[in-house]
Amino acid sequence: MPSNQILLEEPLRMALVLEPSKPSFFPATKIVGTLGPKSSSVETISACLNAGMSVARFDFSLGDAAYHQETLENLKIAVKSTKKLCSVMLDTIGPELQVVNKTEHPISLEADTSVVLTPDQNKEATSNLLPINFSGLSKAVKEGDTIFIGQYLFTGSENTSVWLEAHKLTYLSSLTLPLLLLIKKIVAQLASCQPIVTELDGEDVVCLIKNSATLTGQLYTLHVSQIRIDLPTLADQDKEVISTWGVRNNIDFLSLSYTRHAEDVRHARAYLSKLGDLSQTQIFAKIENIEGLIHFDEILHEADGIILSRGNLGVDLPPEKVFLFQKAAIYKCNMAGKPAVVTRVVDSMTDNLRPTRAEATDVANAVLDGCDAILLGAETLRGLYPVETISIVGKISAEAEKVFNQDMYFKKTVKFVGEPMTHLESIASSAVRAAIKVKASVIICFTSSGRAARLIAKYRPTMPVISVVIPRIKTDQLHWTLSGAFELRQSLIVRGLFPLLADPQHQADLTNATNDSVFQVALDHGKAFGIIKPHDRVVVCQKVGDASVVKIIELED
């Protein structure tokens, strides 16, 4: 950008810093909250919804189906009491390596000592022995490999996560552990503390601990940097949960952990298609390692959205490369019109009431990069301040949206789409252009599938997009069903999109929709939140017969 443009923007931006933050309609950027021990009560969930959470994530890495069902029932009660919409995301376990601590007692690990990783889960976890859920680790690791262990990789606190380095000496495999530890200490002194890893009984792996830490809880994630783990992406345990808990609760989103290939998404979609209504469930591919990064373009083509899991990616990638992946991945998602979700933004708020300065800046930069949603994990699942975390992330997002360069983004998106545009793409971009030109306060889109509204949101208009979903009655000759609920809830993860469900008696192609009660409901909704006032201009996008129409309406008193 030329220097003169930067100078022109500086006075305005500095003035914004000094202005007090003003309460407003929920930020366009959505917030995904993970519900767990610290956020499972009706009261806390209600407060989270009022603070701005629009998607509830259920992480099956911890807790059984009964526990999550109880939390979900509390969510339903909270939705009714607050009258705030919220969709449900099921997060799979996938090929996740875990350290199992059945006693749940804290485990202290001391730097420059050794610890054995064993696939024998019947053994008790101690400071010298950690049972894991994978028997092939000894064959997968090699000299120089880095192994991380922690809860929710990683909080950044050196005393809650630990890292090991591998140096495989297979000729020591027959030695007992005490003798091996003694040799390790001698060799470490002679070789400037070089790490040692060896095999015990063919499957156990011994590692040198590089930093002192205390692991707490029942499960800790184990990650070997840039090593492929030969386990299925959709595990049998995941299939069991989806076919029972998922079907029972009509989940809106499936977060597919450790997505490595486009085939992973296709396999998951084929499985969902056999489970009745779950054929409508959207699949969000979770990119967590180098393999997923390499096949990103093919995965994006198959998936409905992308989750950038920066915790594990921060292990596989050098720190200086993480931001490059974030920017490139979000750009690709934006141009494809598919939601991009960013994780691990305010880890320190797990234990603290305020984020660090770097974290606050990180949230803003994710919004400026173009992400659709921020996903909170440990911060809301086991953090001390789940409601405050959602609130502060929402406030930071709202401030970042004020300075988002929509004009540049719009031009970039139109250029990327190219010509000739499809019919819907042309209508969507025209609606956004018209709304900006006439300074409309809101765009109202009547839709049945939700596609038109998502396309409008793709162009990131500066005003909210109210998506009025018109339900449709469908039949398979045996049963009558009413569509619209999935489309409504799945809009809750799209940036700038705020859905409403219309009365089923209304048709999506009414020619007099602007005079109909359903239009008035949309206006009343906007007025209730203070985004529509008398004499405002409103842009309406609707289907009239076989044609799509964009209208500009100036409201009266």
Side-chain angles (χ1 to χ4, degrees), residues 24 91 98 166 196 259 292 306 381 434 481-483:
S24 62
D91 198 308
Q98 296 175 335
I196 294 178
T259 304
I306 297 290
L381 181 140
T481 57
L482 195 64
S483 69

Side-chain angles (χ1 to χ4, degrees), residues 127-360:
S127 297
N128 299 318
L129 184 71
L130 297 177
I132 63 175
N133 66 342
F134 180 55
S135 61
L137 184 63
S138 62
K139 297 178 181 178
V141 297
K142 62 183 184 301
E143 184 175 352
D145 285 345
T146 301
I147 301 174
F148 286 84
I149 298 175
Q151 197 172 48
Y152 294 92
L153 293 165
F154 287 97
T155 63
S157 175
E158 288 297 326
N159 60 4
T160 60
S161 58
V162 65
W163 62 283
L164 322 166
E165 286 188 11
H167 185 78
K168 200 169 185 178
L169 301 176
T170 56
Y171 63 87
L172 292 176
S173 60
S174 63
L175 296 179
T176 61
L177 178 59
L179 180 57
L180 179 64
L181 295 178
L182 177 61
I183 293 176
K184 188 278 303 179
K185 291 181 180 179
I186 297 173
V187 173
Q189 291 177 353
L190 296 176
S192 301
C193 297
Q194 289 298 311
I196 294 178
V197 165
T198 186
E199 292 180 320
L200 297 177
D201 301 327
E203 292 185 337
D204 293 353
V205 177
V206 179
C207 309
L208 176 68
I209 302 170
K210 299 298 291 182
N211 67 285
S212 297
T214 299
L215 305 179
T216 58
Q218 187 176 10
L219 292 174
Y220 325 113
T221 303
L222 183 149
H223 185 87
V224 186
S225 182
Q226 300 192 25
I227 294 297
R228 174 176 174 79
I229 301 303
D230 192 18
L231 291 172
T233 301
L234 196 61
D236 290 340
Q237 185 178 352
D238 293 324
K239 290 181 179 179
E240 174 67 20
V241 168
I242 294 168
S243 63
T244 54
W245 192 89
V247 169
R248 174 182 177 183
N249 298 294
N250 283 336
I251 57 171
D252 303 297
F253 304 107
L254 180 71
S255 170
L256 191 60
S257 296
Y258 295 93
T259 304
R260 295 167 286 189
H261 297 273
E263 184 59 34
D264 295 338
V265 182
R266 287 192 287 267
H267 175 70
R269 200 177 300 282
Y271 183 73
L272 291 176
S273 67
K274 302 175 183 177
L275 301 175
D277 286 343
L278 292 198
S279 60
Q280 301 177 72
T281 298
Q282 291 188 350
I283 298 175
F284 275 56
K286 208 171 178 185
I287 308 300
E288 308 196 52
N289 53 30
I290 289 289
E291 201 168 0
L293 187 155
I294 292 172
H295 301 103
F296 184 85
D297 288 349
E298 305 96 276
I299 292 171
L300 176 61
H301 179 74
E302 292 292 335
D304 298 298
I306 297 290
I307 297 176
L308 311 181
S309 183
R310 301 190 307 174
N312 285 341
L313 275 171
V315 178
D316 262 16
L317 289 174
E320 67 272 17
K321 297 292 186 179
V322 176
F323 85 96
L324 287 174
F325 171 73
Q326 174 174 313
K327 290 181 178 294
I330 291 177
Y331 173 78
K332 288 176 178 288
C333 290
N334 288 166
M335 295 303 103
K338 295 185 177 182
V341 183
V342 174
T343 70
R344 310 311 300 266
V345 290
V346 285
D347 286 332
S348 71
M349 290 196 74
T350 303
D351 301 305
N352 301 296
L353 189 57
R354 287 167 59 90
T356 66
R357 285 80 169 167
E359 288 173 335

